[in-house]
Short mmCIF file of all heavy atoms in Angstrom, two decimals:
data_model
loop_
_atom_site.label_atom_id
_atom_site.label_comp_id
_atom_site.label_asym_id
_atom_site.label_seq_id
_atom_site.Cartn_x
_atom_site.Cartn_y
_atom_site.Cartn_z
N ALA A 715 80.00 56.86 186.69
CA ALA A 715 78.93 57.84 186.51
C ALA A 715 79.33 59.22 187.03
O ALA A 715 78.61 60.19 186.83
CB ALA A 715 77.67 57.37 187.21
N GLN A 716 80.45 59.29 187.73
CA GLN A 716 80.98 60.52 188.31
C GLN A 716 80.01 61.16 189.31
O GLN A 716 79.78 62.36 189.29
CB GLN A 716 81.35 61.53 187.21
CG GLN A 716 82.43 61.02 186.31
CD GLN A 716 82.82 62.02 185.23
OE1 GLN A 716 82.08 62.93 184.90
NE2 GLN A 716 84.00 61.82 184.68
N TRP A 717 79.45 60.32 190.22
CA TRP A 717 78.63 60.87 191.28
C TRP A 717 78.83 60.10 192.57
O TRP A 717 79.33 59.00 192.59
CB TRP A 717 77.16 60.98 190.90
CG TRP A 717 76.46 59.77 190.39
CD1 TRP A 717 76.31 59.42 189.10
CD2 TRP A 717 75.81 58.74 191.15
NE1 TRP A 717 75.60 58.25 189.00
CE2 TRP A 717 75.27 57.81 190.24
CE3 TRP A 717 75.62 58.51 192.51
CZ2 TRP A 717 74.57 56.69 190.65
CZ3 TRP A 717 74.93 57.39 192.92
CH2 TRP A 717 74.40 56.50 192.00
N GLY A 718 78.44 60.77 193.66
CA GLY A 718 78.58 60.19 194.99
C GLY A 718 79.98 60.38 195.55
O GLY A 718 80.87 60.95 194.91
N GLY A 719 80.15 59.92 196.76
CA GLY A 719 81.45 59.93 197.41
C GLY A 719 82.13 61.27 197.45
O GLY A 719 81.55 62.28 197.80
N PHE A 720 83.38 61.28 197.04
CA PHE A 720 84.20 62.50 197.08
C PHE A 720 84.25 63.10 195.68
O PHE A 720 85.04 62.69 194.84
CB PHE A 720 85.61 62.16 197.58
CG PHE A 720 86.47 63.37 197.82
CD1 PHE A 720 86.26 64.17 198.93
CD2 PHE A 720 87.48 63.71 196.93
CE1 PHE A 720 87.05 65.28 199.15
CE2 PHE A 720 88.27 64.82 197.16
CZ PHE A 720 88.06 65.61 198.27
N ASN A 721 83.36 64.03 195.41
CA ASN A 721 83.29 64.72 194.12
C ASN A 721 83.10 63.78 192.93
O ASN A 721 83.49 64.10 191.81
CB ASN A 721 84.54 65.59 193.89
CG ASN A 721 84.68 66.67 194.95
OD1 ASN A 721 83.69 67.19 195.44
ND2 ASN A 721 85.90 67.00 195.31
N GLY A 722 82.56 62.59 193.17
CA GLY A 722 82.27 61.66 192.09
C GLY A 722 83.48 61.10 191.38
O GLY A 722 83.40 60.60 190.26
N ARG A 723 84.63 61.15 192.01
CA ARG A 723 85.85 60.67 191.36
C ARG A 723 86.68 59.82 192.32
O ARG A 723 86.43 59.80 193.53
CB ARG A 723 86.69 61.84 190.87
CG ARG A 723 87.19 62.75 191.99
CD ARG A 723 88.24 63.73 191.48
NE ARG A 723 88.62 64.73 192.44
CZ ARG A 723 89.43 64.53 193.48
NH1 ARG A 723 89.93 63.33 193.72
NH2 ARG A 723 89.74 65.50 194.31
N ALA A 724 87.66 59.12 191.76
CA ALA A 724 88.59 58.35 192.59
C ALA A 724 89.43 59.32 193.43
O ALA A 724 89.67 60.46 193.03
CB ALA A 724 89.50 57.50 191.71
N LEU A 725 89.86 58.84 194.57
CA LEU A 725 90.69 59.68 195.43
C LEU A 725 92.04 59.95 194.78
O LEU A 725 92.56 59.11 194.04
CB LEU A 725 90.89 59.02 196.79
CG LEU A 725 89.62 58.85 197.62
CD1 LEU A 725 89.95 58.11 198.91
CD2 LEU A 725 88.97 60.18 197.91
N GLN A 726 92.60 61.11 195.06
CA GLN A 726 93.89 61.51 194.53
C GLN A 726 94.78 61.96 195.68
O GLN A 726 94.30 62.32 196.75
CB GLN A 726 93.72 62.64 193.52
CG GLN A 726 92.87 62.28 192.33
CD GLN A 726 92.57 63.49 191.44
OE1 GLN A 726 93.02 64.60 191.69
NE2 GLN A 726 91.80 63.26 190.40
N VAL A 727 96.08 61.96 195.43
CA VAL A 727 97.04 62.42 196.42
C VAL A 727 96.67 63.84 196.83
O VAL A 727 96.38 64.69 195.98
CB VAL A 727 98.48 62.38 195.86
CG1 VAL A 727 99.45 63.02 196.84
CG2 VAL A 727 98.89 60.95 195.56
N GLY A 728 96.64 64.09 198.13
CA GLY A 728 96.34 65.42 198.64
C GLY A 728 94.88 65.64 199.00
O GLY A 728 94.54 66.66 199.59
N ASP A 729 94.01 64.69 198.65
CA ASP A 729 92.60 64.83 199.03
C ASP A 729 92.45 64.76 200.54
O ASP A 729 93.16 64.00 201.22
CB ASP A 729 91.75 63.70 198.41
CG ASP A 729 91.48 63.91 196.94
OD1 ASP A 729 91.70 65.03 196.43
OD2 ASP A 729 91.05 62.95 196.28
N HIS A 730 91.54 65.53 201.08
CA HIS A 730 91.20 65.48 202.50
C HIS A 730 89.72 65.14 202.60
O HIS A 730 88.89 65.87 202.07
CB HIS A 730 91.48 66.82 203.19
CG HIS A 730 92.93 67.10 203.38
ND1 HIS A 730 93.57 66.90 204.56
CD2 HIS A 730 93.87 67.53 202.52
CE1 HIS A 730 94.85 67.21 204.43
NE2 HIS A 730 95.04 67.61 203.19
N LEU A 731 89.43 64.02 203.23
CA LEU A 731 88.05 63.58 203.37
C LEU A 731 87.46 64.11 204.67
O LEU A 731 88.07 63.96 205.73
CB LEU A 731 87.98 62.06 203.37
CG LEU A 731 88.52 61.36 202.14
CD1 LEU A 731 88.51 59.86 202.35
CD2 LEU A 731 87.71 61.74 200.93
N PRO A 732 86.29 64.70 204.60
CA PRO A 732 85.65 65.13 205.85
C PRO A 732 85.18 63.91 206.63
O PRO A 732 84.76 62.92 206.05
CB PRO A 732 84.46 65.97 205.37
CG PRO A 732 84.16 65.45 204.00
CD PRO A 732 85.48 64.99 203.43
N SER A 733 85.29 63.98 207.95
CA SER A 733 84.83 62.85 208.75
C SER A 733 83.33 62.90 208.90
O SER A 733 82.70 63.94 208.72
CB SER A 733 85.51 62.85 210.12
OG SER A 733 85.18 64.04 210.81
N GLY A 734 82.78 61.75 209.23
CA GLY A 734 81.34 61.65 209.42
C GLY A 734 80.97 62.03 210.83
O GLY A 734 81.27 63.12 211.29
N PHE A 735 80.39 61.10 211.54
CA PHE A 735 79.93 61.36 212.89
C PHE A 735 81.09 61.32 213.87
O PHE A 735 82.08 60.64 213.66
CB PHE A 735 78.89 60.32 213.30
CG PHE A 735 77.73 60.28 212.34
CD1 PHE A 735 77.65 59.27 211.39
CD2 PHE A 735 76.76 61.24 212.37
CE1 PHE A 735 76.59 59.22 210.50
CE2 PHE A 735 75.70 61.22 211.48
CZ PHE A 735 75.61 60.20 210.55
N ASP A 736 80.94 62.03 214.98
CA ASP A 736 81.93 62.02 216.05
C ASP A 736 81.53 60.99 217.09
O ASP A 736 80.41 61.03 217.59
CB ASP A 736 81.99 63.39 216.72
CG ASP A 736 83.32 64.05 216.56
OD1 ASP A 736 84.28 63.36 216.18
OD2 ASP A 736 83.41 65.26 216.81
N TYR A 737 82.41 60.06 217.38
CA TYR A 737 82.16 59.06 218.41
C TYR A 737 83.25 59.15 219.45
O TYR A 737 84.42 59.17 219.12
CB TYR A 737 82.15 57.64 217.82
CG TYR A 737 80.96 57.37 216.93
CD1 TYR A 737 81.09 57.36 215.56
CD2 TYR A 737 79.71 57.13 217.48
CE1 TYR A 737 80.00 57.10 214.75
CE2 TYR A 737 78.61 56.88 216.68
CZ TYR A 737 78.77 56.86 215.32
OH TYR A 737 77.69 56.62 214.53
N SER A 738 82.86 59.20 220.70
CA SER A 738 83.86 59.29 221.76
C SER A 738 84.24 57.92 222.30
O SER A 738 85.28 57.76 222.91
CB SER A 738 83.34 60.18 222.90
OG SER A 738 82.11 59.67 223.37
N GLU A 739 83.41 56.91 222.07
CA GLU A 739 83.70 55.58 222.59
C GLU A 739 84.42 54.73 221.54
O GLU A 739 84.45 55.06 220.37
CB GLU A 739 82.42 54.89 223.03
CG GLU A 739 81.56 54.48 221.86
CD GLU A 739 80.12 54.93 221.99
OE1 GLU A 739 79.86 55.90 222.68
OE2 GLU A 739 79.26 54.30 221.36
N SER A 740 84.97 53.63 221.98
CA SER A 740 85.64 52.69 221.08
C SER A 740 84.61 51.89 220.30
O SER A 740 83.48 51.71 220.76
CB SER A 740 86.49 51.70 221.89
OG SER A 740 87.46 52.40 222.61
N PRO A 741 84.99 51.38 219.11
CA PRO A 741 84.06 50.55 218.35
C PRO A 741 83.68 49.29 219.12
O PRO A 741 84.47 48.79 219.92
CB PRO A 741 84.83 50.19 217.09
CG PRO A 741 86.09 50.96 217.11
CD PRO A 741 86.27 51.55 218.46
N ARG A 742 82.48 48.76 218.85
CA ARG A 742 82.03 47.54 219.52
C ARG A 742 82.81 46.32 219.07
O ARG A 742 83.10 45.43 219.85
CB ARG A 742 80.54 47.31 219.22
CG ARG A 742 79.64 47.97 220.20
CD ARG A 742 78.19 47.68 219.90
NE ARG A 742 77.87 46.30 220.23
CZ ARG A 742 76.78 45.69 219.80
NH1 ARG A 742 75.94 46.31 219.01
NH2 ARG A 742 76.53 44.46 220.14
#
């Protein structure tokens, strides 16, 4: 459908994904 995620397309070489939330602790 070309929507959502990263510009609605599959990832390509050279793409840079923005990170979500910042967590300072280790995962549970």
Side-chain angles (χ1 to χ4, degrees):
Q716 298 181 340
W717 53 266
F720 187 75
N721 299 327
R723 63 169 172 77
L725 296 177
Q726 299 172 1
V727 173
D729 283 346
H730 287 260
L731 301 174
S733 61
F735 304 102
D736 243 345
Y737 290 104
S738 56
E739 71 231 25
S740 300
R742 271 182 72 196

